[in-house]
Each structure stands twice: as C-alpha cells, then as structure tokens.
Amino acid sequence: MKTRIGSYPRVCVEGGGRAVVSQAGAVLLLDTVRKTGLDQAISAALSPWRKPRAVHDPGKVLLDVALAVALGGDCLVDVGMLRAEPGVFGPVASDPTVSRLIDTLATAGDKALAALRSARADVREYVWKLAGAAAPDAGQQVIVDLVGVLVLAHSEKQDAAATWKKTFGHHPLMGFVDHGAGGSGEPVAALLRPGNAGSNTAADHITTAQLALAQLPKKFRRGRQTLIRCDSGGGTHEFTAWLTKRGRWLSYSVGMTITDAIHQAVLKVPACAWTVAVEPGGEIRDGAWVAELDGDVLKDWPKGMRLIVRKEHPHPGAQLRFTDADGMRLTCFATNTKNTPIAALELCHRQRARAEDRIRAARATGLRNPPLHDSAQNQIWLEIVQIALVLLAWMPMLALTGTARLWEPRRLRLRLLSAAAQLVTTARRRHLRFARHWPWTDVITQAIQRLAALPNPD
C-alpha cells in the first residue's frame, strides 16, 4: 500500500499542453466590448495618432492594456497574458509598441484625453439604453459621487508628494456614477493630483464635476435630476455656488464640517425637532436622529440650501471629538433637495459610503500604484483604469443577474474571468468549452447568451 504524503493529491506537471486557454472567462469582457461598440469608438478616437504604415491599431492597443488591467494586471507589460492567447484576443502589440503609444498620447496631452473621454461618453449613452431598467438613469435621476483617493508611490515619480496621511504618492480626485443597491458603479472622471493636494480644493472639485457631467447623457448634464454627492471636502462656498449657478441648477448633497456655529445651533435644537433616522428598508435606525438647522448658520450660503445634522451613538471603540455633543457623534451635510423628508435625505447622503466600495475596486484594478514616471503618462494610465473599471461595471449590468450583479472585480476574476476552457476549432469556427464541474460555468454561459441577444452597434 502506497503511503499518501500531504493533504492534497499529487499530480505530475509537464509542459506542452495544447488547445487550453487560460483566462477564458475574459470572453465576457470581449463580448461586452463588441456589443457596446467600445472598440470602434476608441479606434476612431485615436485614429489621428495612427501612423500610415502601422500594423497595430492604437485603439486596440490601448483597449488590450485595459483588458489586461481588468483581468488583474497592474503594469503595461501585463498585456503579455493577452498576447499568449491569440486565438481569443487576436494579435497583440509588443511591449515596446505599447510603451511608445503611451508616450505618444502623453505628449499629445489634453487632445488625446479629450478624444478618449468623448468616445467613452458616446458609448456610455448607448450602453445605458441597452441596459434598460438596469441602467443607473432608469429612475430618472443620476447620482455622481466625488471622492478623493490616496495612491502610494514607491519611487520618485513626478508630482508624487507627502500626503495628509503621512504617506507618499498622489491624491487623485475621482467621480463615480452610483448604480444603486442593485448594482455597483462606474467611473466618469479621474483627475490626477499631487500627493499634497488639498481635500477641499474647490477648483479641483469643479474640474472633476465638469469631467463627470461631460460623461453623462446630455439631458443629465444640468438640472435637478443629477445629484452631485461628496464628503466635507466639497462643502465649500465656491463649489456649492458653482453647483447652483443659474442655468446649471444641479442637485447636491455635500458633507459639511461641524463648525462652532453649527455646534452651538445643534445644542439649541429642541428634543421634539429630532426625527429618527431610517434604514434602506424603511425600518428605524437604532440610536440615530436627524434634524434640520436654519437661521444664521445658513448666512452667506447659496439660496435654497438645507442644513441637516445627524446625531448617533458612537460605535463601540469609537472616540468622540470636540465637535460632538452629549455623548453623541455629530455629522452634518447640506442639500438643496426640497419636498423630501429629512430622514430620506440623510439616508441618501449616508449611502455615499458606497463610493468606498468603488475606491476598493479601483485600487484592485490598476489604481493602487500608477506604474509610470511622468504625470502625463500616469494620467493616460488613469484613463486606462477607467476603461477597465467601466468594462467590469457594464458587463454585470448587461449580462449578470441576482447576486452576481453585485460582485466586485476581485470576485469576478476569481469566479468568472479566470476560468480556463478548451479551444476547439470545428467547421472553421472556434468554440470555447468550459469545464462542466466548474461551479460558475452556468453563470458564464448564460451571461454570454444574454450578451449575444443584444443588438449589434451601428
């Protein structure tokens, strides 16, 4: 009897296997690209930078890098995992060709960025129409979350500096469209900033908001049906004045710093004026109350602003601040939404916490450490990261249902995108056969069927 060593069966490993495709689940992303027309849009946008006798299309080169990032890559050379599977991904440019394209686009600067952003905006409007009831604008309102992200740098990169958290790197400001409780979210803006950039710089918030609005369908680029949501970094006079400028009329929900004037106003609120906070299902939130402030605290702020404060018992282990009162943690935000109960407004603002999930997904999709040296190159890298995140948001929105619709990039990679398959050629057609025993093969095949049922782009 042979003695078994260890807890796992022993297998013999050897090279030379054929007709097996790794990362075969990436066909979900390829079908998403094909059905949305993203490849055609980016190819057309980058056509001015294609040399007359070039072999590789700049649009496909950039999209290949974005696909590699969506599959878990974190640098340009990771496009090699696509190059290893030409039967699925087609011809992929060499590493020097990819590097030269990034340098060319970085040299072009704002012109190249504008072309890429315009292509994404056009495709986004088409994708939202395809998604129907699953689209973020299905409720006739679009919520855009603005959030700052601290990105580490492990070498002397341009504009890398010490951050307010005593780290070293960059401090980009990003915008995400919230897909709601039944979905995830997609990026619509990314502004690369030095590590020492302020969290409440109004000019940067205005620029990022402009970039985000330009990505939305035209009817959402102004008006109350678009809600700009952010933390206290956006609670400045300049930014709120810009949001409410005549002709723009955007809705907003921005966090506010608890100043001494607000603290004193909270102490004067009578007990009968406090309303219990609520949870998303409508049930009462234990130990939390909300109230609306008025009077002098709204002086010098835009007309129509409502100032809402929440008091809540601190979580176990949390320490109170000087701005808290009566053993309660105080938070405050401002909004211009009318005819809505303050408990519902507070719940909507509290759901801005979903932006933290979007940050986590972005960090796991190329944002953790921008790999290039120059700021112009890293800004192009941010555009690549946005394309990768967009694909990871559009594919579930168009093809997945149930709990799979909520999976973040890491889980999508682990369960779907990393699945291997056998590549079989029959009657001049290539077929991918996923393993029958893989628990999520049905999810993959059903998602591909849903994508196949969508109309082809014009």
Side-chain angles (χ1 to χ4, degrees):
M1 179 176 179
K2 189 174 180 179
T3 304
R4 180 168 178 162
I5 301 176
S7 302
Y8 300 97
R10 184 177 179 180
V11 295
C12 297
V13 179
E14 58 184 24
R18 301 175 60 186
V20 177
V21 178
S22 61
Q23 305 287 339
V27 294
L28 289 169
L29 300 181
L30 298 183
D31 284 354
T32 301
V33 169
R34 191 176 299 111
K35 287 296 184 177
T36 59
L38 184 62
D39 52 345
Q40 302 174 32
I42 294 181
S43 178
L46 297 186
S47 59
W49 291 275
R50 181 170 186 172
K51 296 181 180 180
R53 302 181 65 181
V55 175
H56 296 282
D57 178 19
K60 184 176 186 302
V61 174
L62 193 79
L63 195 54
D64 283 342
V65 179
L67 285 169
V69 173
L71 293 175
D74 59 4
C75 60
L76 297 180
V77 297
D78 285 336
V79 76
M81 66 174 141
L82 275 63
R83 192 184 303 117
E85 302 293 353
V88 176
F89 300 102
V92 177
S94 64
D95 293 341
T97 301
V98 173
S99 182
R100 284 194 297 268
L101 175 63
I102 300 301
D103 290 340
T104 300
L105 297 179
T107 303
D110 292 339
K111 188 175 181 180
L113 293 174
L116 286 171
R117 291 163 179 168
S118 178
R120 287 207 327 273
D122 293 340
V123 176
R124 174 172 286 106
E125 185 171 5
Y126 175 69
V127 171
W128 286 9
K129 291 179 181 179
L130 280 181
D137 63 342
Q140 298 303 313
Q141 184 185 47
V142 172
I143 299 177
V144 179
D145 290 314
L146 303 184
V147 57
V149 187
L150 291 181
V151 176
L152 298 180
H154 301 293
S155 61
E156 292 287 346
K157 298 176 182 177
Q158 187 178 8
D159 287 338
T163 70
W164 60 277
K165 279 196 173 182
K166 310 302 181 182
T167 57
F168 183 80
H170 297 88
H171 188 188
L173 193 59
M174 301 191 67
F176 296 91
V177 169
D178 186 16
H179 285 189
S184 56
E186 58 186 277
V188 286
L191 180 64
L192 186 65
R193 304 190 301 164
N196 55 4
S199 298
N200 60 347
T201 305
D204 292 343
H205 278 79
I206 292 173
T207 300
T208 307
Q210 289 173 331
L211 294 175
L213 292 174
Q215 288 292 307
L216 304 181
K218 290 184 179 180
K219 67 177 182 179
F220 292 107
R221 294 178 184 177
R222 65 176 183 176
R224 293 285 190 239
Q225 55 192 349
T226 300
L227 174 67
I228 303 295
R229 200 166 56 180
C230 59
D231 58 12
S232 58
T236 60
H237 289 80
E238 296 86 351
F239 185 52
T240 52
W242 181 87
L243 291 170
T244 56
K245 186 177 180 180
R246 184 178 180 86
R248 191 169 289 117
W249 308 115
L250 295 168
S251 298
Y252 63 84
S253 180
V254 299
M256 300 290 287
T257 303
I258 302 290
T259 63
D260 183 65
I262 294 178
H263 186 262
Q264 295 301 322
V266 171
L267 296 179
K268 297 177 182 178
V269 175
C272 60
W274 291 97
T275 302
V276 293
V278 297
E279 296 287 5
E283 61 272 13
I284 294 176
R285 182 177 177 87
D286 293 335
W289 299 265
V290 294
E292 185 170 358
L293 304 180
D294 54 14
D296 293 340
V297 291
L298 296 176
K299 186 179 181 182
D300 299 329
W301 288 96
K303 184 179 179 181
M305 173 183 280
R306 302 176 67 183
L307 197 61
I308 299 173
V309 63
R310 180 186 69 175
K311 66 177 182 179
E312 185 176 21
H313 290 297
H315 299 292
Q319 294 184 355
L320 295 176
R321 300 165 295 191
F322 287 108
T323 53
D324 297 327
D326 299 329
M328 295 282 193
R329 171 64 52 84
L330 298 181
T331 55
C332 187
F333 71 97
T335 182
N336 61 348
T337 303
K338 300 179 180 179
N339 304 321
T340 302
I342 59 175
L345 294 175
E346 190 275 333
L347 173 62
C348 177
H349 185 75
R350 189 173 1 118
Q351 289 173 337
R352 193 198 68 84
R354 283 199 286 257
E356 301 299 326
D357 299 333
R358 309 289 82 79
I359 294 175
R360 184 172 59 251
R363 291 184 186 278
T365 313
L367 190 64
R368 183 175 300 279
N369 181 21
L372 306 171
H373 178 271
D374 296 343
S375 291
Q377 295 173 332
N378 281 324
Q379 183 63 63
I380 297 296
W381 178 260
L382 282 187
E383 297 301 317
I384 293 173
V385 169
Q386 290 182 81
I387 295 174
L389 288 170
V390 157
L391 288 175
L392 293 172
W394 287 350
M395 186 274 289
M397 183 170 66
L398 296 174
L400 299 182
T401 59
T403 57
R405 173 79 170 79
L406 302 173
W407 288 352
E408 293 189 0
R410 290 185 179 182
R411 182 161 293 181
L412 287 173
R413 296 182 194 120
L414 182 65
R415 297 185 174 183
L416 304 185
L417 304 182
S418 65
Q422 183 183 15
L423 183 62
V424 179
T425 302
T426 304
R428 298 182 181 180
R429 297 184 64 181
R430 288 190 293 265
H431 301 263
L432 277 177
R433 294 178 179 173
F434 289 89
R436 186 177 301 163
H437 65 271
W438 186 248
W440 300 280
T441 292
D442 289 343
V443 178
I444 297 173
T445 55
Q446 291 171 10
I448 292 176
Q449 291 171 3
R450 294 189 188 97
L451 289 172
L454 296 176
N456 294 320
D458 295 334

